[in-house]
Amino acid sequence: QVQLVESGGGLVQPGGSLRLSCAASGMIFGLYAMGWYRQAPGKQRELVASITRGSSTNYADSGKGRFAISRDNAKNTLYLQMDSLQPEDTAVYYCNANPPYDYWWGQGTQVTVSS
């Protein structure tokens, strides 16, 4: 059974940084393209960054130049480095395959950007 466990969220001031991690189990992690998604209150979940099996990356306009997605296949872990955070980045952040599987969603990790 696939399990994705996100961590690393928290409260940060505008302009601050966070590094999110996603520990994967129950799957051959290196075989999947993966993504980081976020859902803000009252909004639909959106893809913010993605990485292919070969580690090519792509970003939504909201994260370009500020977010960096990476993966460590040996550790079955996905990362999202987020810099220059702004209040509009406040959301619950999730990892999943890209495209996502409905039954893979985890609990997510809350990111709150506020002074």
Side-chain angles (χ1 to χ4, degrees):
Q1 152 186 358
V2 172
Q3 189 173 20
L4 299 171
V5 180
E6 301 91 348
S7 62
L11 174 64
V12 63
Q13 292 187 340
S17 298
L18 285 173
R19 189 191 194 205
L20 307 184
S21 297
C22 168
S25 59
M27 60 188 280
I28 303 175
F29 180 72
L31 293 183
Y32 293 89
M34 297 294 295
W36 281 99
Y37 304 77
R38 70 184 182 187
Q39 186 167 22
K43 295 187 177 181
Q44 288 192 329
R45 188 149 40 196
E46 61 174 348
L47 176 67
V48 295
S50 61
I51 187 166
T52 67
R53 293 185 298 173
S55 294
S56 295
T57 60
N58 197 28
Y59 300 92
D61 287 344
S62 58
K64 283 181 181 175
R66 300 188 301 126
F67 293 177
I69 188 172
S70 60
R71 65 191 301 161
D72 185 334
N73 291 340
K75 294 183 178 180
N76 289 349
T77 303
L78 183 71
Y79 301 101
L80 185 66
Q81 176 69 39
M82 303 188 295
D83 299 319
S84 302
L85 285 163
Q86 298 302 318
E88 52 266 34
D89 296 315
T90 295
V92 179
Y93 285 71
Y94 304 86
C95 64
N96 203 321
N98 181 34
Y101 293 99
D102 284 343
Y103 47 93
W104 281 17
W105 294 112
Q107 296 295 316
T109 186
Q110 175 71 47
V111 171
T112 302
V113 185
S114 176
S115 55

